[in-house]
Amino acid sequence: MTVQVGTPDDHGSGLFVRSDLVITAAHVLQPLGQSQPWPAQALRVTLPDGTDLEVVARLCHPRWPNDPITADIAIVRVEKPQSALVLDCVSNAQARARKVWIRRFNEAEQEGTVTRVSQGAGLYDLESDDLSFHHGVSGAPILATNDKVIGIATQSHDDPAPNTSIGLPFIDNAYESNLAWLIANCPDEDP
């Protein structure tokens, strides 16, 4: 299930990867040009039923915002765990014109295909010829046909275009560990 991650002036999407941890796009928490992420107390996670959850900690990928293509991922910790909303995630999923769905917050799923493309040094993005999405979808889960989340939506043009970067896969290799690193390093609460 997709949740909404709200900031003082905008919002994105996210998904529970643990009962108290929500993954989203880093640019939702720290827009390009902003020197630091929003403080945890300025964030909220909204469930599909409209319930707002307090955020107690947040963490952006260590390469964000210097590497906006392969480091656009972040995590927030909520005060009230939601074990029923946790989605199964898989790192290092192969994707070559792989059928997927982008599960948007309180909207219909969008179907399309993605290809995992190497950006060098063990870093990847997800590209698509047939997917695009609107503002606020960044951070939404990208699900494969086995209902496993293989990554998150991060950026889109208004209309589908050939070889367009639309997301970030979960990677865990010698060069990159994005989802696992964020889970392991998210503080219990912001200092």
Side-chain angles (χ1 to χ4, degrees):
M1 189 160 304
T2 304
V3 298
Q4 187 177 74
V5 178
T7 72
D9 65 356
D10 210 352
H11 68 276
S13 298
L15 67 133
F16 277 92
V17 294
R18 298 289 186 272
S19 64
D20 63 340
L21 295 174
V22 174
I23 290 292
T24 189
H27 73 263
V28 171
L29 303 186
Q30 182 182 347
L32 288 172
Q34 187 170 306
S35 63
Q36 293 291 318
W38 291 105
Q41 64 270 20
L43 304 172
R44 75 180 183 292
V45 170
T46 304
L47 304 181
D49 68 3
T51 301
D52 283 337
L53 301 177
E54 183 180 336
V55 173
V56 294
R58 86 293 192 243
L59 178 66
C60 290
H61 191 286
R63 288 194 331 272
W64 178 260
N66 297 326
D67 185 357
I69 298 295
T70 62
D72 193 0
I73 186 169
I75 195 166
V76 299
R77 185 179 301 276
V78 295
E79 184 176 52
K80 294 182 182 175
Q82 305 291 313
S83 57
L85 300 181
V86 175
L87 296 175
D88 289 331
C89 299
V90 61
S91 291
N92 305 323
Q94 296 301 312
R96 181 153 198 75
R98 184 173 189 165
K99 186 176 181 179
V100 296
W101 289 264
I102 295 178
R103 188 171 287 166
R104 304 178 297 188
F105 179 72
N106 282 347
E107 294 182 35
E109 292 180 340
Q110 182 181 11
E111 182 180 334
T113 57
V114 295
T115 298
R116 189 177 88 170
V117 176
S118 174
Q119 299 300 323
L123 306 175
Y124 298 87
D125 71 337
L126 294 172
E127 295 183 358
S128 179
D129 295 337
D130 58 4
L131 284 169
S132 66
F133 46 88
H134 61 78
H135 179 82
V137 176
S138 293
I142 298 175
L143 290 99
T145 55
N146 61 1
D147 285 334
K148 303 281 187 196
V149 181
I150 64 169
I152 59 169
T154 57
Q155 60 186 355
S156 178
H157 294 289
D158 292 337
D159 296 305
N163 305 314
T164 301
S165 177
I166 60 104
L168 189 61
F170 298 140
I171 299 296
D172 195 3
N173 62 38
Y175 299 97
E176 172 70 281
S177 178
N178 55 22
L179 176 63
W181 186 89
L182 287 164
I183 290 170
N185 290 283
C186 186
D188 290 334
E189 59 184 48
D190 270 6

